[in-house]
Amino acid sequence: MTTSRTRISKAVIPAAGLGTRFLPATKATPKEMLPVVDKPAIQYVVEEAVTAGLSDVLMVTGRNKRPLEDHFDRNYELEQVLRDKGDGTKLARVEESSDLATMHYVRQGDPRGLGHAVLCAAPHVGDQPFAVLLGDDLIDPRDPLLARMTQIQEQHGGSVIALMEVDPASIHLYGCAAAAPTGEDDVVKVSDLMEKPSADEAPSNLAIIGRYVLDPAVFEVLRKTQPGRGGEIQLTDALQALASDPSLGGPVHGVVFRGRRYDTGDRGDYLRAIVRLACEREDLGPDFRDWLRSYVSEEM
Ligand code: UTP
């Protein structure tokens, strides 16, 4: 795995949501542990952080946190069994997840919203800019986004959010940005943000997706942020405060992502992610594509 160097070294991964869209699978298991082919979704996210040079990872966990911690920890018993069997390939796969990054955990007592989850990271993060990666948002490893965001943060200071152009009819599912162009095709200056606006009130079709590089000033703003939509402390509301008053923590820029992204917290997108990634795998892809072709032709 190649690693680029950046000033930003800490990543925060909120994974304390209830995952109600995936019940009953998420009754006793965090949704971030659901497998995408043969790795839990969260491992792709940690790998993405490490590839962008962020090897200090703080995971914000809630109830059912054990599987998340265990996945990134050593499993000596299993490792020994595989070693005794001489199964080096599987042993390497097991060891990979525990060697990936320096993992830290903090507990979010009650799931009081994404903004509250980010605030739980304040003591660990300190006063440096840091990245936030949502545990159920999967960015295709071939379309690097985070490294571009850290680059923009280093150029302009302040905070950087990831945006994606969506069909205006589905903007009500996302946070939405009012933004002005900059000299760079994939970078905009954000002036306002709205959480899940209707198509009529949405200032653009630029939807916020689950990657952020934040100035630590966001913590002070979050402490003052009242519960918003759904009674939760919304990260978008705090970012809106930062965007409308750059004296608080610098400007807010947006990187417009045009690559492949899957919301693995959504059942349809989760299935699409598995099919796509399985098709592209060298080991599984050829057989799976053949099967899929004949399945689709029988069904159509
Ligand atoms: P979602 O909006 O997807 O909510 O959270 P959710 O509870 O996880 O899932 P559904 O909608 O009930 O199915 C976005 C991200 O923020 C984290 C989630 O774990 C997810 O990565 N989150 C959300 C927290 O860590 N804490 C919270 O209080 C809320």
Side-chain angles (χ1 to χ4, degrees), residues 56-75:
D56 178 304
V57 176
L58 175 75
M59 207 168 282
V60 184
T61 62
R63 52 179 202 117
N64 308 329
K65 64 166 185 161
R66 277 299 292 276
L68 286 163
E69 291 194 12
D70 287 349
H71 183 71
F72 293 101
D73 203 354
R74 302 290 299 267
N75 184 333

Side-chain angles (χ1 to χ4, degrees), residues 2-53:
T2 54
T3 300
S4 60
R5 282 189 186 283
T6 66
R7 197 163 52 85
I8 298 159
S9 62
K10 290 183 180 168
V12 173
I13 304 185
L18 294 176
T20 55
R21 285 170 290 172
F22 259 101
L23 284 169
T26 48
K27 186 176 170 193
T29 307
K31 70 175 167 184
E32 290 81 2
M33 283 304 294
L34 296 179
V36 176
V37 189
D38 51 10
K39 278 193 284 194
I42 192 80
Q43 189 174 330
Y44 292 87
V45 178
V46 174
E47 286 172 355
E48 182 192 338
V50 172
T51 304

